[in-house]
Amino acid sequence: QKEVEQDPGPLSVPEGAIVSLNCTYSNSAFQYFMWYRQYSRKGPELLMYTYSSGNKEDGRFTAQVDKSSKYISLFIRDSQPSDSATYLCAMTRNTGGFKTIFGAGTRLFVKA
Amino acid sequence: ETGVTQSPTHLIKTRGQQVTLRCSSQSGHNTVSWYQQALGQGPQFIFQYYREEENGRGNFPPRFSGLQFPNYSSELNVNALELDDSALYLCAIGDSKYNEQFFGPGTRLTVL
């Protein structure tokens, strides 16, 4: 079993749709949860960063963390063609040494 | 813009050679991490440096080594290159307190 599972897609939606992206993980030691956006041939860009279970909102983006289910989500409202990219979930722990794991990424296409 | 720069942008090496990749930032973040990203995959954590010492390591062999300098710049060294080392190498700066990480644009390494 992989430490983090993320559906690679591709996911294709019309402009204005609500997008839901998800990851599950297996190790409860992970404490911090992030979502990154990566455009082709670029480095990942940090979108959302959360520590505790619950929701965090930033503009059109909402991140959800459910530690009891080991499940994290990213919602994008009013999606735009410029949101077309690969979305990576990531999680870190800092006990017993720092470690970060990333999901494989979900490719999102938003059609105008 | 994260203010993280990486050099070189692209690099071609042959199997068995050694390579050094560099990372620098404008700000004084106290951690630097290195990742390997194969095509179509999420970044894989190689290691993190904090205050010039290795603070955590992923599942990479000892031929992957690094340095962090007092000015927060960093190097990734890879010895005895293998074909499977061909990938995008990313560095990320962060703060040990918050665990957020900000990525550079990466160095694309091709091993022939």
Side-chain angles (χ1 to χ4, degrees):
Chain A
Q1 182 187 12
K2 289 184 179 179
E3 284 193 282
V4 58
E5 299 275 1
Q6 182 176 12
D7 187 339
L11 179 62
S12 184
V13 301
E15 183 176 358
I18 296 175
V19 175
S20 172
L21 304 167
N22 311 292
C23 287
T24 59
Y25 63 98
S26 58
N27 191 337
S28 59
F30 289 108
Q31 304 156 294
Y32 304 90
F33 305 90
M34 286 75 68
W35 285 94
Y36 287 86
R37 177 175 62 195
Q38 186 173 27
Y39 293 111
S40 181
R41 299 190 174 273
K42 301 286 188 182
E45 172 193 7
L46 181 64
L47 287 177
M48 300 290 284
Y49 167 77
T50 57
Y51 171 70
S52 57
S53 285
N55 292 356
K56 181 178 181 180
E57 187 173 321
D58 184 359
R60 297 185 295 112
F61 299 94
T62 299
Q64 268 187 1
V65 175
D66 182 347
K67 287 187 176 180
S68 62
S69 301
K70 299 188 184 66
Y71 188 86
I72 65 172
S73 300
L74 178 71
F75 298 94
I76 306 174
R77 290 184 297 281
D78 187 25
S79 56
Q80 304 295 311
S82 59
D83 294 328
S84 298
T86 296
Y87 289 80
L88 298 154
C89 65
M91 48 210 71
T92 75
R93 61 160 169 80
N94 214 358
T95 53
F98 180 88
K99 181 177 181 180
T100 297
I101 59 169
F102 277 80
T106 299
R107 291 195 67 189
L108 173 66
F109 295 95
V110 181
K111 300 172 292 184
Chain B
E1 291 293 326
T2 62
V4 181
T5 58
Q6 292 188 242
S7 61
T9 305
H10 297 91
L11 197 55
I12 299 175
K13 290 285 189 178
T14 56
R15 192 170 48 184
Q17 286 189 311
Q18 177 267 342
V19 69
T20 297
L21 310 181
R22 294 179 173 82
C23 174
S24 61
S25 69
Q26 299 171 345
S27 58
H29 289 82
N30 58 17
T31 70
V32 61
S33 303
W34 286 90
Y35 294 82
Q36 180 194 69
Q37 187 176 24
L39 203 59
Q41 302 292 320
Q44 299 292 313
F45 175 65
I46 302 175
F47 44 57
Q48 183 188 72
Y49 277 78
Y50 169 60
R51 293 184 175 176
E52 302 172 45
E53 292 193 1
E54 190 176 288
N55 183 44
R57 190 177 184 94
N59 296 327
F60 281 82
R63 59 188 185 85
F64 287 80
S65 63
L67 288 171
Q68 182 187 26
F69 300 101
N71 65 355
Y72 303 111
S73 64
S74 178
E75 288 181 355
L76 166 66
N77 299 290
V78 187
N79 293 322
L81 284 167
E82 301 177 358
L83 298 179
D84 285 347
D85 295 334
S86 295
L88 180 69
Y89 287 85
L90 297 158
C91 81
I93 60 170
D95 188 290
S96 59
K97 184 176 179 182
Y98 300 109
N99 282 276
E100 296 170 283
Q101 295 181 77
F102 302 94
F103 282 82
T107 293
R108 186 160 298 279
L109 172 65
T110 302
V111 182
L112 302 176

